[in-house]
Every structure is written in C-alpha cells, then in structure tokens.
Amino acid sequence: MKKIYINPPFIKLEQALKLASLVSSGGEAKLLIQDGEVAVNGEICLMRGKKLFGGEIITFSGEEFKVEVTLK
C-alpha cells in the first residue's frame, strides 16, 4: 500500500488524487469521483471535496493509498 503524506489539518479527496499523481488535473479527479471510481475506506465516495484527516484509505483502479499526516 502506497502512502500520501499531508500537512495537517486535512486534504480534500480531489487534491489527494492529484498529490498521489493518480490524475493530472482537478477536472479529471472530479469526473472519476463523480463516476464512482474512487472509494474511501472501502465505500464509493462521490464527494470530491470530502475532507481527509489522515488514516483513510483511498482505493482507485485496484490500488490502495493511505493518507498519512506529517507533523512539522
């Protein structure tokens, strides 16, 4: 499982997809999320602005990514 590192307090789902280089733009992320191709913690998520605070697992195209918080 790959990890996506964020700075507190949160990151939005569409931003997390871009940070993980799964999409090249916010528009692409929006379409994939709205089409039900992205899951958060095992459930399809249709909210592109869903806030991720750390510990969530994003599943896309058969791959899993865990959101981890980095403390500065």
Side-chain angles (χ1 to χ4, degrees), residues 29-69:
K30 174 185 173 182
L31 292 174
L32 292 172
I33 293 167
Q34 287 179 340
D35 288 345
E37 296 186 38
V38 180
V40 176
N41 294 331
E43 295 185 20
I44 297 297
C45 182
L46 302 176
M47 300 182 323
R48 68 182 188 168
K50 178 168 180 62
K51 294 178 181 177
L52 307 174
F53 295 92
E56 295 90 353
I57 297 176
I58 300 169
T59 306
F60 172 72
S61 191
E63 292 187 73
E64 290 187 337
F65 300 83
K66 185 171 184 178
V67 179
E68 294 279 340
V69 175

